[in-house]
Amino acid sequence: MLNRNAEALFWVGRYMERAENHARLIDVHYHIQHDGDFDNEGNKWERLIHALGARSDYMQQFDAFTEKDVLSFITLDRGYANSLFSCVSQARGNLRTLREKLPSELWDMLNAFYLWLGEKQVDDILNDSPHTFYKQIKDRAAMFYGAQQSVMLRENEWHFMESGRYLERAENTVRILQSVIGAIRVEQAPPYPYLLAVLKSVSGYQAFRKYYADAVSIAHIMEFLIGSAEFPRSVHFAFSHLELHLEGIDRSEANLNGPGERAIRQAGKIKADLACLERDDMRLSVVQPLLDSLMHSCTRIGGTMAAAFFHLEEATA
């Protein structure tokens, strides 16, 4: 398949996962707000902007961090490239160029998502219920994934889209943990409510209790979110499936064995390193370097994939 088509599919997977993650990240902060005690309203929303790496973009439009401005910027802003609306719009634009190559159900789901979201205003979010609104975002993303799982051929198109999805998922889970750990340190707050909020935001509370029962501790939560091989939103699970889909890409039609194998090795090494971690390596006091290293690894694998599959002229020059 053409390089540009492979890249478009890869970014459909990334953008859809990113949109869902934004809904989950906002949900983290509402869970924390409900469970915690905040003396400074602005700090809470500033932290959310910081978690997305969007401070400079935000400050170009707004002078203060308020709930309405932050939700409007993250969710609906047409000018911010990583707003939830922009992610859905860009995924739709990429998918539109490939409509004749993919099942029509994917276009129908994504186009309906785009049209529904395009009609929303920030007051709709606040007046109804932010929790309900962002649950609808997650539900619509799940509908798209359900159609994708049900009707796509397990060929290169499938593997490129899933590779983008799982690379984005690994990065997003790391980013959520970085944000929460940073908040714990800055505010010198009890860590348990924050990490419990992360579990709830990734729909992992019931799965966690299945493995750990009543042994709910910070160490167990970190171990579950980073190292679980069974939980679909853990970092380990994401890298395992990234490696699986990279291996599934047919590289016989072009001379991709060298660069493609490099991406597989990188994903496999990270997966193996995560499998070897001990619980002590994920204690709150020492986990920050691990998270920073994982974030760097996500960036590195993205660059390797671009060289291997999307920018072949550069890779072979």
Side-chain angles (χ1 to χ4, degrees):
M1 58 188 299
L2 295 176
N3 305 344
R4 63 177 179 272
N5 291 347
E7 187 171 20
L9 287 162
F10 174 78
W11 278 101
V12 168
R14 291 208 71 162
Y15 283 132
M16 288 301 294
E17 184 67 25
R18 189 173 299 176
E20 182 185 2
N21 178 73
H22 281 10
R24 292 183 179 278
L25 189 59
I26 294 167
D27 204 28
V28 168
H29 288 264
Y30 275 107
H31 277 301
I32 293 172
Q33 176 186 359
H34 178 74
D35 296 333
D37 180 17
F38 292 92
D39 296 325
N40 190 323
E41 178 76 8
N43 282 348
K44 175 181 62 180
W45 299 110
E46 183 178 4
R47 186 170 60 247
L48 181 53
I49 291 293
H50 178 73
L52 295 171
R55 183 183 178 88
S56 60
D57 294 296
Y58 181 87
M59 295 306 294
Q60 290 177 13
Q61 297 187 47
F62 304 100
D63 298 323
F65 296 93
T66 66
E67 179 181 22
K68 183 173 183 178
D69 289 344
V70 168
L71 292 186
S72 176
F73 178 77
I74 293 176
T75 308
L76 303 173
D77 195 287
R78 264 64 167 174
Y80 174 48
N82 284 321
S83 73
L84 203 154
F85 176 83
S86 293
C87 288
V88 173
S89 177
Q90 290 174 95
R92 175 181 178 270
N94 283 353
L95 194 64
R96 182 172 55 188
T97 65
L98 300 166
R99 285 183 65 179
E100 71 280 2
K101 301 178 182 297
L102 297 172
S104 59
E105 289 88 345
L106 297 184
W107 170 256
D108 292 340
M109 291 288 182
L110 187 50
N111 190 51
F113 190 1
Y114 167 81
L115 294 174
W116 171 81
L117 187 58
E119 295 176 349
K120 298 297 181 181
Q121 302 292 328
V122 68
D123 288 337
D124 298 328
I125 303 173
L126 295 171
N127 292 340
D128 295 337
S129 164
H131 177 74
T132 300
F133 175 81
Y134 291 106
K135 182 180 183 300
Q136 289 179 297
I137 295 292
K138 291 185 284 186
D139 289 346
R140 286 179 177 271
M143 289 172 63
F144 177 83
Y145 293 142
Q148 177 199 10
Q149 294 281 336
S150 298
V151 299
M152 278 194 77
L153 293 171
R154 269 43 174 180
E155 296 180 343
N156 275 3
E157 291 82 357
W158 161 263
H159 292 300
F160 277 117
M161 193 180 294
E162 288 289 276
S163 293
R165 176 186 178 186
Y166 281 107
L167 179 58
E168 186 72 25
R169 178 171 295 183
E171 183 175 314
N172 289 335
T173 299
V174 171
R175 192 182 299 277
I176 288 176
L177 289 172
Q178 285 180 317
S179 171
V180 167
I181 289 171
I184 292 169
R185 288 178 175 169
V186 169
E187 298 176 10
Q188 299 183 338
Y192 175 75
Y194 284 77
L195 292 173
L196 189 62
V198 176
L199 269 182
K200 292 177 180 179
S201 75
V202 298
S203 304
Y205 181 72
Q206 289 177 310
F208 174 85
R209 292 294 297 271
K210 180 178 180 180
Y211 279 90
Y212 294 94
D214 293 328
V216 181
S217 70
I218 298 165
H220 288 151
I221 293 174
M222 295 298 291
E223 182 180 51
F224 184 71
L225 293 172
I226 295 174
S228 173
E230 291 80 24
F231 179 54
R233 305 201 73 86
S234 78
V235 180
H236 184 279
F237 188 98
F239 275 113
S240 296
H241 280 67
L242 174 60
E243 181 189 28
L244 180 68
H245 288 291
L246 288 172
E247 289 175 340
I249 295 171
D250 181 7
R251 298 182 295 281
S252 62
E253 297 179 3
N255 186 23
L256 298 176
N257 288 319
E261 291 298 328
R262 191 177 306 121
I264 294 170
R265 288 197 303 271
Q266 288 176 2
K269 181 179 184 303
I270 297 165
K271 182 190 75 171
D273 290 344
L274 287 169
C276 293
L277 287 174
E278 301 289 341
R279 187 172 298 164
D280 284 347
D281 299 321
M282 291 177 275
R283 287 182 292 115
L284 195 64
S285 59
V286 300
V287 77
Q288 188 65 53
L290 171 62
L291 295 175
D292 293 343
S293 175
L294 288 169
M295 185 62 73
H296 174 73
S297 296
C298 291
T299 303
R300 183 184 176 203
I301 290 179
T304 302
M305 289 192 66
F309 304 116
F310 312 144
H311 307 144
L312 297 184
E313 297 79 4
E314 298 175 12
T316 58

